[in-house]
Amino acid sequence: MDTIREAVQDMQADTISSTYIPTPDVIRRLGAIPAANIGDAQERIGVASGLYPVWAGARLSGPAYTVWTRPGDNLIIHTALDGAKPGDVIVVNGGGDQSRALIGDLIGLRAKKLGIAGFVIDGAVRDAEALAACGLPVFARSVTPAGPYKFGPGRLQIPVAIAGVVVAPGDIIVADADGVVVVSEQDAVQVLADAERVEARETAKRLSLEETASPNG
């Protein structure tokens, strides 16, 4: 019995020691790397296919604040704005529904004022031009003029699924023109090191190709 108790205590200690909250520098450096390079560094795991920037040039990185809502309903997203911290990315499992927009410019302006980094929504949004004008990065499945319902239900800060990828609260989101990747919180430092190596290797190859293609080369 004592042996079993000791084994359980060892497992708990390992779990506690492996818990890691990425520093702002780690998040910043991940955000500077192309999403494609991060996907390659993770062996193509954690790539949320089918979610795209709502406006050209949008880039996004930060820890996930997770939301699970009924498709087409955004009541819980309003509540999420009260709980999310500056720099957080609000990640919404909207069931992939594209018939109703889960956010528009009003939520976007409020989020921008609160310092929210942006949104990743497995669903639809609206007011694309206004979101671009306020500079709030938003990634979603599609855009529709149809507004949402506001009845609920919803859940906050639990693991959710977006585009077939599980996102836990605190996981790091990186998104650019290619789409969205998810980096597990506890793996962030290792993924950063691997992704920087991938980026450096591709940069070297690109320079080599450019030199080869040069008229003077």
Side-chain angles (χ1 to χ4, degrees), residues 1-89:
M1 194 70 175
D2 289 340
T3 302
I4 295 174
R5 187 180 295 110
E6 289 171 2
V8 171
Q9 289 173 345
D10 288 343
M11 290 173 62
Q12 290 172 336
D14 288 342
T15 300
I16 292 170
S17 64
S18 66
T19 300
Y20 173 75
I21 298 175
T23 65
D25 182 62
V26 168
I27 296 171
R28 178 190 61 78
R29 288 164 62 190
L30 278 168
I33 300 172
N37 290 161
I38 295 173
D40 289 350
Q42 297 191 126
E43 300 181 291
R44 285 72 174 176
I45 292 174
V47 178
S49 299
L51 305 180
Y52 304 103
V54 170
W55 50 272
R59 287 187 63 92
L60 179 60
S61 62
Y65 185 95
T66 60
V67 179
W68 185 15
T69 187
R70 185 176 69 169
D73 193 294
N74 78 348
L75 180 64
I76 194 67
I77 298 176
H78 289 273
T79 306
L81 289 173
D82 295 327
K85 301 187 187 90
D88 283 351
V89 176

Side-chain angles (χ1 to χ4, degrees), residues 5 7 9 13 19 22 27 32 34 51 59 83 88 97 113 125-126 131 172 193 205 209:
R5 187 180 295 110
Q9 289 173 345
T19 300
I27 296 171
L51 305 180
R59 287 187 63 92
D88 283 351
D97 178 72
K113 185 175 180 180
V125 302
R126 67 178 180 178
L131 290 170
I172 308 305
K205 289 180 179 178
L209 288 170

Side-chain angles (χ1 to χ4, degrees), residues 51 60 89-93 118-122 139-140 162 173 175 180:
L51 305 180
L60 179 60
V89 176
I90 297 180
V91 178
V92 182
N93 176 356
F119 286 85
V120 171
I121 297 180
D122 195 351
F139 290 73
I162 57 160
I173 305 297
V180 180

